[in-house]
Amino acid sequence: MAPSDLSHDSTIVIVGAGVWGCSTALHLVRRGYKNVTVLDPYTVPSAIAAGNDINKIMEHREPKESDTDPRSIAFATCTRAALKGWKTDPVFKPYFHETGVVVSGHTPTLIEHIRETEIEPSMGDFVKLETAEDFRKTMPAGVLTGNFPGWQGWLNKSNAGWIHAQKAMVSAYTEAKRLGAKFLTGSPQGNVVALVFENGDVVGAKTSDGVVHRADRTILSAGAGSDRLLDFEKQLRPTAWTLCHIKMTPEEAKLYKNLPVLFNIAKGFFMEPDEDKHELKICDEHPGYCNFIPDPKRNGDIRSIPFPAHQIPLEAEARARDFLRDTMPQLADRPLSFARICWDADTPDRAFLIDRHPKHPSLVVAVGASGNGAMQMPSIGGFIADALEGHLQKELIDVVRWRPETAVDRDWKATQNRFGGPNAIMDFQKVKESAWTKISEKSRL
């Protein structure tokens, strides 16, 4: 059965009010669509959305001249558009801090990997960092006091820095609502339990209060939770990362303001403290955690099932402190004030998945951010709207298409070119209940 013609009067349901859902709603109402409804079990900003975070890295680099990989070209197309939005769109501009990014490694193999895959000095404002003193000079005296054992890196000072993802997401949500998008959030009214199928097509979504939200088009953008609503033929793997905060004094927060992001591709990264709570976020770097459970629908094959947690494994805390000992040992033993795991969904090739479903013509999937979703916030909704309208640009269309052939015999434990930790995918099922942090909310007061 062919779907109805798309018009500005068409009813559109978006499943998921995270970064991509809010961005899509904003772009659709800006294009004149009058009947856009967004469903999510949490109010914006969602407690479990990966983009509900005080900061995320934003960096645009043109592909190296020698790089003809369509995925690199597609990713640069996305980040180029996102950068323009961060710099010019009043909804997002206040939340982009172009402070620069240091990308680094601490072993010869890691340093060479960065040099070969990421650094193109002729196409950016790069500064080589070869000694501990070189690293220290990128920030005010008293910030980087560590010895940086074995570290080398590059500082990219242009088109790079960090975004306040949470505030930007709320800004997109607020503007989309002002322009007419309807958000039904919270449980049960926003909790989608199933897509509604009729005659081989998707005609909307059903929420846990029993209401069927019928629509001419449905957009599934529920992040790591998407594959519980649709068979993605193994194209999505919910994968989690770990982050923690430490409390800073107001004086320290001033010292740490407007710093470049410091990122070691196998140890972790940090950005300046949050201006509201004066908390410094540290992420330990690793290929990710999954929560593997046997899935009877996959003939006993494993499946990663997301769950929320505002704690992290003690091993993740130890890795974060190891990163601090190399860089800012004066903070390495300070107690954690906050921590959580942060879920995303990996595709097999880490390219986005944005396409009209080949079997359900009224369904658009917009998933598979693969750890790079938040930085796309200003523009990703436009690409999703393009896919809905059937004119996604040529640099993207073949890369982000529905592609189950990439997931045949998928190795669920593939590291996917990520480094750090044990250099392996870790399994929450193997983390004992006693081996998690026990951070009290009182530590934030």
Side-chain angles (χ1 to χ4, degrees), residues 251-440:
E251 293 73 26
E252 287 173 327
K254 290 178 183 177
L255 178 65
Y256 278 65
K257 191 169 179 60
N258 295 322
L259 304 184
V261 176
L262 177 60
F263 177 34
N264 181 306
I265 66 169
K267 286 220 168 188
F269 59 90
F270 88 95
M271 284 165 270
E272 70 179 67
D274 173 49
E275 62 187 1
D276 299 318
K277 293 188 172 69
H278 297 153
E279 291 183 339
L280 184 78
K281 185 182 91 171
I282 308 103
C283 290
D284 60 308
E285 188 64 19
H286 50 74
Y289 282 90
C290 290
N291 183 41
F292 287 127
I293 295 173
D295 184 6
K297 294 181 180 178
R298 291 179 176 172
N299 296 318
D301 196 3
I302 55 176
R303 182 186 202 123
S304 181
I305 306 295
F307 64 95
H310 282 81
Q311 305 288 343
I312 57 174
L314 293 175
E315 61 192 13
E317 178 186 4
R319 288 190 294 264
R321 295 192 185 283
D322 178 63
F323 168 77
L324 289 172
R325 277 190 287 272
D326 276 9
T327 60
M328 297 175 286
Q330 72 274 18
L331 303 178
D333 296 319
R334 193 169 294 193
L336 301 185
S337 58
F338 176 76
R340 79 176 179 112
I341 60 176
C342 181
W343 288 95
D344 206 342
D346 279 330
T347 60
D349 55 11
R350 290 184 62 187
F352 303 151
L353 177 51
I354 302 170
D355 199 2
R356 289 189 286 188
H357 195 284
K359 296 178 182 177
H360 313 302
S362 297
L363 175 66
V364 171
V365 294
V367 294
S370 301
N372 292 306
M375 73 170 73
Q376 314 294 338
M377 197 184 314
S379 54
I380 195 69
F383 293 124
I384 295 166
D386 289 345
L388 175 76
E389 295 172 345
H391 54 77
L392 193 61
Q393 63 195 78
K394 60 182 176 61
E395 292 89 352
L396 296 180
I397 194 166
D398 288 334
V399 173
V400 303
R401 63 180 172 81
W402 183 265
R403 50 192 190 282
E405 71 277 4
T406 64
V408 174
D409 298 322
R410 182 169 186 179
D411 178 5
W412 293 113
K413 298 183 180 180
T415 59
Q416 299 197 271
N417 208 30
R418 294 188 179 106
F419 306 95
N423 288 307
I425 287 289
M426 295 165 282
D427 188 353
F428 283 128
Q429 291 288 317
K430 297 180 179 179
V431 180
K432 295 179 180 178
E433 188 174 343
S434 60
W436 290 74
T437 58
K438 294 177 175 60
I439 301 165
S440 166

Side-chain angles (χ1 to χ4, degrees), residues 99-122:
T99 58
V101 171
V102 173
V103 60
S104 56
H106 61 284
T107 69
T109 300
L110 293 170
I111 294 162
E112 186 58 28
H113 172 79
I114 297 168
R115 190 195 319 272
E116 291 179 355
T117 61
E118 299 194 40
I119 302 305
E120 183 63 88
S122 65

